[in-house]
Amino acid sequence: MAVLSRSDPEVYDAIKNEIGRQRSTLEMIASENFTSLAVMEAQGCVMTNKYSEGYPGKRYYGGNQFIDVTENLARDRAKKLFNAEHANVQPHAGSQANMEAYFATLKLGDKILSLFLPEGGHLSHGSPVNFSGQWYKIVHYHLDPETGTLDYDAIRKTAIAEKPQMVLCGYSAYPRTVDFKAFKEIADEVGAIMLADIAHIAGLCAGGAHPQPFPYADIVTTTTHKTLRGPRGAMIMCKEKYAQAIDKAVFPGMQGGPLEHAIAGKAVCFGEALKPEFKEYAKQVVKNAKALADELMAKGFKLVSDGTDNHLMLVDLRNKGCTGKEAQNWLEETGITANKNMVPQDDKSPFVTSGIRLGTPALTTRGMKESEMKEIAGMIDKIIAAKGDPAATAIARGDVIALCGKHPLYPELKW
Ligand SMILES: *Cc1c(COP(=O)(O)O)cnc(C)c1O
């Protein structure tokens, strides 16, 4: 970044400090990952200069012949990755993708059935502080309070009683496999559209480590920057039946010019995810999560649903005598980045919480395996037992730096 370093040293320094932070910490936020340098090169390119309202072959501006190449590559690769009949790769973010999917298929005031946010849902699935909760009627289903898992019979009963226009599955903090077929059957029984928001698990679906939402889902929304390991952004896929409505809802319905540099990055990401190595990656993410979960449980930690099938786990800290906020801070001081999270039947506020969410996608990208997960579980156990004690924190910080040093991030970058 020689040009930037001369032209804007303040921004340059912040970027340089950020790569230093990423290199020297253990990234355990379940929704984060490290893209390849190829994705970043594509994303940081001249395609940011171009207006391309419309779709490949049907643009409102001239000069889109090469933009069409990357957008078509992204669309075709996305369809192949997820066995989708149609893909729209223009949504700027996961929340916009959901907004556009609702706009395409629902009327204001229609009813959406989704999981309650504090139990693992997402803001854009009907939270009262989000547009979704204000523009649509929201009915929530809940996790089984005993097992912490989806209760399909209860969801079906709520659907029959409430007759929603849309049944939504897809979560930000749910550690178990989602049964898309069961959701489709429930949606069909009440004549609702089934939307699967696979923002978190997209990379696992694409890599064969979680079942695919198609052919069951009518519409699938996803981010591209979580387990899928692409640039920050999103897309919507759907059955051919909904293709025209989705495309119209994205443009001109909700967005103007697409971020074609981000779409170039998405194309590269999907190309990477089609390679056999990505299947290995997705499998390792799940193996690592299982290893971390098993070791934490062996150390007396309570996990919601007693384990994990995917890339994340929710640690319920109520038996450890601390809050999610405290644990997040203590971990952060040692260089382990995670986030506090509500657990089912949480009596604390969302700013405090009784749990933390831990994920393995980013650590797995750094090449860590089961043995490192065991080591990290040991570190977490000690850090939480020490309750922020400065001497213990300093020792743990040293352990984190040593482990990061064994798995260098972006070693090709000269910084
Ligand atoms: C992350 C996430 C989103 C939103 O993504 P943004 O890009 O942050 O808007 C939507 N749905 C689910 C389930 C998510 O986990």
Side-chain angles (χ1 to χ4, degrees), residues 98-156:
N98 284 338
M99 191 181 219
E100 289 154 354
Y102 306 159
F103 188 53
T105 55
L106 302 175
K107 296 188 302 296
L108 287 184
D110 273 359
K111 201 182 270 183
I112 300 175
L113 177 64
S114 66
L115 182 65
F116 191 42
L117 175 66
E119 294 175 28
H122 188 262
L123 279 168
S124 61
H125 297 178
S127 161
V129 299
N130 185 265
F131 81 93
S132 54
Q134 299 182 16
W135 296 353
Y136 301 97
K137 230 178 258 133
I138 304 295
V139 186
H140 287 306
Y141 51 88
H142 295 272
L143 298 179
D144 180 324
E146 296 300 313
T147 61
T149 60
L150 292 165
D151 177 348
Y152 295 93
D153 288 334
I155 298 167
R156 178 172 171 267

Side-chain angles (χ1 to χ4, degrees), residues 31 92-96 98 120-125 170-173 197-200 221 223 225-226 232-234 357:
S31 50
H92 301 325
S95 296
Q96 273 69 57
N98 284 338
H122 188 262
L123 279 168
S124 61
H125 297 178
Y171 315 103
S172 299
D197 175 351
I198 59 167
H200 258 263
T221 57
T223 56
H225 51 268
K226 298 181 184 175
R232 195 155 289 281
R357 187 183 67 166

Side-chain angles (χ1 to χ4, degrees), residues 31-285:
S31 50
E32 294 191 11
N33 213 330
F34 302 116
T35 71
S36 68
L37 290 178
V39 165
M40 284 194 275
E41 281 184 2
Q43 200 183 5
C45 80
V46 292
M47 287 188 171
T48 193
N49 298 332
K50 191 74 200 91
Y51 249 113
S52 52
E53 286 178 351
Y55 291 99
K58 276 187 289 181
R59 304 285 190 181
Y60 288 80
Y61 293 82
N64 276 301
Q65 54 272 46
F66 305 113
I67 296 291
D68 281 4
V69 172
T70 48
E71 189 165 338
N72 275 326
L73 282 171
R75 296 208 292 194
D76 292 343
R77 290 173 180 177
K79 287 197 282 188
K80 205 162 159 193
L81 267 183
F82 294 97
N83 308 317
E85 292 175 11
H86 180 74
N88 185 314
V89 295
Q90 294 188 359
H92 301 325
S95 296
Q96 273 69 57
N98 284 338
M99 191 181 219
E100 289 154 354
Y102 306 159
F103 188 53
T105 55
L106 302 175
K107 296 188 302 296
L108 287 184
D110 273 359
K111 201 182 270 183
I112 300 175
L113 177 64
S114 66
L115 182 65
F116 191 42
L117 175 66
E119 294 175 28
H122 188 262
L123 279 168
S124 61
H125 297 178
S127 161
V129 299
N130 185 265
F131 81 93
S132 54
Q134 299 182 16
W135 296 353
Y136 301 97
K137 230 178 258 133
I138 304 295
V139 186
H140 287 306
Y141 51 88
H142 295 272
L143 298 179
D144 180 324
E146 296 300 313
T147 61
T149 60
L150 292 165
D151 177 348
Y152 295 93
D153 288 334
I155 298 167
R156 178 172 171 267
K157 281 188 190 127
T158 311
I160 290 169
E162 295 284 349
K163 304 221 174 342
Q165 278 73 37
M166 179 179 279
V167 173
L168 214 164
C169 62
Y171 315 103
S172 299
Y174 185 65
R176 294 297 183 179
T177 302
V178 179
D179 184 346
F180 296 116
K181 183 164 182 267
F183 272 105
K184 178 60 174 162
E185 283 165 5
I186 292 167
D188 279 349
E189 201 173 336
V190 299
I193 288 170
M194 182 213 161
L195 187 150
D197 175 351
I198 59 167
H200 258 263
I201 55 171
L204 306 184
C205 297
H210 186 287
Q212 290 269 16
F214 290 122
Y216 304 112
D218 296 304
I219 301 174
V220 173
T221 57
T222 184
T223 56
T224 46
H225 51 268
K226 298 181 184 175
T227 51
L228 198 49
R229 209 165 59 180
R232 195 155 289 281
M235 68 172 154
I236 306 175
M237 294 169 284
C238 61
K239 299 264 173 72
E240 196 53 49
K241 182 178 165 191
Y242 299 98
Q244 213 186 355
I246 290 290
D247 283 352
K248 276 168 71 179
V250 174
F251 176 85
M254 287 277 173
Q255 298 186 178
L259 307 179
E260 291 295 346
H261 56 303
I263 290 172
K266 289 173 196 176
V268 174
C269 152
F270 303 157
E272 289 174 356
L274 283 166
K275 290 185 184 155
E277 302 91 279
F278 194 81
K279 286 201 166 57
E280 290 307 310
Y281 167 69
K283 260 187 233 136
Q284 191 64 47
V285 167

